Amino acid sequence: MNVLELSEQEIIRRNSLNELRAMGIEPYPAAEYVTNAFSTDIKAEFKDDEEPRKVSVAGRMMSRRVMGKASFIELQDSKGRIQVYITRDDICPDENKEMYNTVFKRLLDLGDFIGIEGFVFRTQMGEISIHAKRLTVLSKSIKPLPIVKYKDGVAYDKFEDPELRYRQRYVDLAVNEEIKDIFSKVYSSMREYFNSKGYMEVETPILQSIAGGAAARPFITHHNALDMPLYMRIASELYLKRLIVGGFEGVYEIGKNFRNEGMDRTHKDYNWMMEFTEKMIEKICLDVNGTTQVKVGDNIIDFKAPYKRVTMLDSIKEHTGYDLTGMNEEQIREVCQKLNMEIDDTMGKGKLIDEIFGEFCEGTYIQPTFITDYPKEMSPLTKIHRSNPDLTERFELMVNGKELCNAYSELNDPIDQLERFEEQMRLSEKGDDEAMIIDKDFVRALEYGMPPTSGMGIGMDRLTMLMTGQSTIQEVLFFPQMRPEKITPKDTPAKFMELGISEDWVPVIQKAGYNLVSDMKEVNPQKLHMDICGINKKYKLELTNPTVDEVAGWIAKIEN
């Protein structure tokens, strides 16, 4: 890497790296460093009246206060931070004091990973700390971290720029302590809930020969070895139901689809599943926040069960004034036109009803509400309602104006399922690119018999947003999709050389901010001369400085 591309701090750190190696200290050792404790456990388990506990810990050095022969640092491991007390004579018991005077005080930087062996004690100020007896360099940080200062649990100088945080999530996680909780508590609580009920976590194929299980447009790829097209899965549902056919009592998968979904399958109906879902979400909210209430934007949402239940057709009637019960496709199309909705000929009855609900009803449900009993045409994988053959036993949970989860009594009649798939194919032929494809293997699996089953899918990203009060999905994705970073346009060295500039001076000129030849057109020759000669001196490049007249000659050659 060209030294001109580095900041002053980066240059200093690289020089320290080289000095460590010159001293015989490998800044990236291969040997395992064995630890026996985490910062949070040390604090929780400390007792003043017990024999001092010997510990070995490792983490980043996040702050340092040097006071001559003694110093304090703050060490951050994967669970939290703890203060470490370091003295020269403790970590350098013999005559050689370089580990403290040179390595610790001068060559180590904030952000470096180090290992500390010592014993736990309480300082005169009352803080539980580690008294270091040995220090080991584990990994040298050659790019400085943003420094977030904490006092009495309050963060100062926070790393808050959204663009940088989402693009460099590894930095965000390293310096903003609370971020890890966003990504861990919701998933941990959900797994704990499923596992406590006897469910087995499974993994189903990411690449599938048929994109089934949901109404969504799939990504398509090609398997070179098999010479066949494959789809990135849009749902794990059909494979989970295959496992129920195979004899599993209950299975779930927290899987990557177009949506992150936690999928669950068990031998129950959708009424049972509503109770199961609201109890699970209430538990997650309590685990994450210690209360069932969460502030999301301007709304206080209460996740305490039970939740309100409203049928889809009743909701549409309430918010539009139109009762769609018993209407055929053409009649519903006329309702859409009266409501001034944009529709097209590819939309079947189910899609039209879905559009009405989405435009006039969905956004009104702020508090958790189950929307139940969806029309048959909207739910090709759902069992017919036990008391109304025009409806299905399906519900969606609406929270804060958005769908959070989708669940239903699973259709296990193979003949009915095949007919539903065939109807979906007719919609596809009309131009509905979200209609499902016939999965003949899944139908065959049903022919072997699937017990009464209820299924539920949750959008994990949206659930995490709600549980943590976040307003943007980027906050709850480790690595959200971002636009490519903007790259400053630069002319090639050849363009600068056409002006008579030596190739060695091109990076210096661009370091000074003149990335394009045209950038130098209006500049004062004396200023440009001072800028580039200053960089030559600062970075010790030892190039022969041009004269002001030579610089003026370069500028004079730039064409208008």
Side-chain angles (χ1 to χ4, degrees):
M1 177 178 283
N2 192 316
V3 69
L4 295 176
E5 297 177 16
L6 302 174
S7 68
E8 187 173 352
Q9 265 291 314
E10 289 173 310
I11 292 171
I12 291 171
R13 288 178 178 236
R14 286 169 187 250
N15 290 338
S16 297
L17 182 80
N18 294 332
E19 283 194 55
L20 285 170
R21 286 193 167 128
M23 293 174 66
I25 298 173
E26 174 52 51
Y28 306 105
E32 177 189 10
Y33 184 85
V34 179
T35 63
N36 62 13
F38 290 104
S39 58
T40 50
D41 300 332
I42 291 171
K43 293 177 181 179
E45 297 166 7
F46 177 78
K47 294 181 180 179
D48 289 291
D49 56 355
E50 289 187 350
E51 187 75 18
R53 176 185 176 184
K54 293 182 179 180
V55 295
S56 176
V57 297
R60 286 188 189 270
M61 184 171 67
M62 300 302 287
S63 69
R64 174 174 51 188
R65 289 177 288 138
V66 178
M67 299 169 289
K69 298 178 183 179
S71 301
F72 286 98
I73 68 167
E74 193 171 36
L75 193 76
Q76 176 177 292
D77 62 19
S78 61
K79 291 191 176 182
R81 297 188 180 199
I82 192 166
Q83 181 173 265
V84 180
Y85 174 63
I86 300 174
T87 70
R88 185 192 67 182
D89 294 336
D90 279 322
I91 67 170
C92 305
D94 53 21
E95 294 301 316
N96 185 348
K97 306 298 182 184
E98 281 194 331
M99 178 56 73
Y100 183 84
N101 292 335
T102 303
V103 176
F104 172 71
K105 290 174 66 175
R106 189 167 63 81
L107 300 182
L108 287 184
D109 295 287
L110 301 187
D112 289 352
F113 281 93
I114 59 174
I116 295 291
E117 294 175 46
F119 61 89
V120 185
F121 75 111
R122 189 188 296 275
T123 67
Q124 291 181 348
M125 300 298 292
E127 185 168 354
I128 298 169
S129 307
I130 299 172
H131 188 131
K133 302 298 285 184
R134 185 178 180 188
L135 183 151
T136 304
V137 179
L138 298 179
S139 182
K140 180 71 183 156
S141 169
I142 59 174
K143 186 179 281 290
L145 287 171
I147 301 301
V148 179
K149 300 181 180 68
Y150 288 89
K151 185 176 181 180
D152 299 326
V154 179
Y156 299 89
D157 301 325
K158 293 190 72 175
F159 180 59
E160 293 182 315
D161 184 284
E163 175 79 11
L164 285 175
R165 287 183 53 240
Y166 304 153
R167 197 177 293 283
Q168 299 178 26
R169 182 65 81 186
Y170 40 89
V171 177
D172 188 29
L173 290 165
V175 302
N176 289 328
E177 293 181 0
E178 70 280 4
I179 298 301
K180 290 189 184 75
D181 289 342
I182 291 177
F183 294 98
S184 62
K185 287 185 177 179
V186 173
Y187 284 75
S188 297
S189 179
M190 176 172 282
R191 279 194 169 95
E192 181 184 282
Y193 187 77
F194 282 143
N195 294 341
S196 72
K197 301 296 182 182
Y199 290 47
M200 179 178 177
E201 184 169 7
V202 298
E203 185 174 304
T204 61
I206 298 289
L207 293 175
Q208 302 179 354
S209 58
I210 294 174
R217 185 182 301 129
F219 287 120
I220 303 174
T221 186
H222 187 82
H223 194 301
N224 289 336
L226 299 178
D227 190 24
M228 61 181 289
L230 290 173
Y231 299 91
M232 296 292 287
R233 72 178 178 198
I234 56 177
S236 50
E237 174 174 334
L238 300 186
Y239 281 92
L240 292 174
K241 286 195 277 192
R242 285 172 167 92
L243 295 175
I244 298 299
V245 171
F248 282 96
E249 178 72 16
V251 295
Y252 74 96
E253 178 175 14
I254 297 179
K256 302 296 182 183
N257 306 317
F258 290 123
R259 309 163 301 278
N260 275 354
E261 286 188 337
M263 298 296 295
D264 161 74
R265 295 288 176 264
T266 185
H267 298 229
K268 306 291 180 182
D269 70 0
Y270 83 137
N271 290 306
W272 177 92
M273 183 58 80
M274 274 189 271
E275 294 180 16
F276 182 92
T277 301
E278 62 193 2
K279 289 177 182 177
M280 178 184 70
I281 292 175
E282 179 182 0
K283 174 197 180 298
I284 292 171
C285 194
L286 283 168
D287 287 347
V288 174
N289 300 296
T291 174
T292 60
Q293 294 187 343
V294 181
K295 190 174 192 303
V296 181
D298 296 329
N299 300 316
I300 301 293
I301 299 175
D302 194 341
F303 288 98
K304 183 169 181 57
Y307 303 155
K308 181 180 178 181
R309 286 144 168 81
V310 181
T311 70
M312 170 164 273
L313 294 184
D314 282 348
S315 176
I316 290 175
K317 182 178 179 180
E318 177 186 350
H319 291 95
T320 69
Y322 289 96
D323 186 353
L324 305 187
T325 305
M327 286 190 182
N328 60 30
E329 182 178 321
E330 287 307 311
Q331 291 172 318
I332 295 173
R333 194 175 294 278
E334 289 176 8
V335 169
C336 291
Q337 291 168 349
K338 291 175 183 177
L339 293 171
N340 297 316
M341 295 175 59
E342 292 185 11
I343 57 173
D344 58 56
D345 294 338
T346 68
M347 295 180 179
K349 181 178 177 181
K351 192 72 177 283
L352 293 170
I353 295 172
D354 191 31
E355 290 293 314
I356 294 172
F357 180 81
E359 185 164 336
F360 296 97
C361 309
E362 183 173 334
T364 66
Y365 295 104
I366 304 302
Q367 298 303 319
T369 304
F370 288 118
I371 304 299
T372 68
D373 301 350
Y374 281 52
K376 176 181 175 180
E377 293 80 3
M378 294 181 65
S379 311
L381 298 170
T382 310
K383 188 170 285 188
I384 294 295
H385 199 285
R386 66 197 73 179
S387 59
N388 186 337
D390 293 328
L391 302 176
T392 59
E393 297 200 343
R394 174 185 175 188
F395 72 79
E396 289 184 325
L397 177 59
M398 301 294 164
V399 183
N400 203 37
K402 298 286 185 182
E403 172 204 337
L404 176 58
C405 75
N406 181 24
Y408 36 82
S409 298
E410 302 288 355
L411 178 60
N412 58 347
D413 179 341
I415 296 173
D416 188 2
Q417 181 64 84
L418 180 58
E419 291 174 353
R420 304 259 201 112
F421 274 144
E422 289 170 344
E423 175 59 27
Q424 286 286 301
M425 289 302 295
R426 284 190 283 272
L427 290 173
S428 177
E429 290 166 2
K430 286 177 61 178
D432 187 345
D433 55 12
E434 292 186 350
M436 295 185 193
I437 301 171
I438 297 177
D439 188 336
K440 293 182 179 178
D441 180 68
F442 174 65
V443 174
R444 179 170 58 192
L446 291 184
E447 290 173 344
Y448 283 101
M450 184 176 81
T453 301
S454 179
M456 179 260 291
I458 294 181
M460 293 300 295
D461 299 335
R462 188 166 290 165
L463 175 64
T464 306
M465 285 175 64
L466 290 167
M467 292 295 119
T468 57
Q470 302 296 331
S471 58
T472 62
I473 198 168
Q474 288 91 339
E475 291 288 352
V476 300
L477 297 175
F478 271 126
F479 302 105
Q481 188 64 48
M482 305 288 288
R483 290 188 178 89
E485 289 188 69
K486 292 181 180 178
I487 299 175
T488 303
K490 293 183 178 182
D491 279 339
T492 62
K495 287 198 172 184
F496 286 90
M497 292 166 67
E498 289 174 2
L499 307 177
I501 299 172
S502 167
E503 186 173 4
D504 291 338
W505 277 98
V506 174
V508 180
I509 292 170
Q510 292 181 328
K511 177 70 174 178
Y514 307 98
N515 293 302
L516 305 173
V517 167
S518 58
D519 293 340
M520 300 192 300
K521 184 177 178 182
E522 304 295 335
V523 72
N524 184 298
Q526 196 160 6
K527 181 183 184 307
L528 178 55
H529 180 266
M530 288 177 61
D531 289 343
I532 62 176
C533 292
I535 291 172
N536 186 27
K537 180 179 179 181
K538 178 179 178 180
Y539 288 90
K540 301 177 182 178
L541 301 177
E542 299 182 355
L543 299 175
T544 302
N545 288 332
T547 65
V548 174
D549 289 341
E550 286 176 317
V551 172
W554 300 342
I555 296 171
K557 292 178 182 178
I558 300 174
E559 296 180 1
N560 293 325

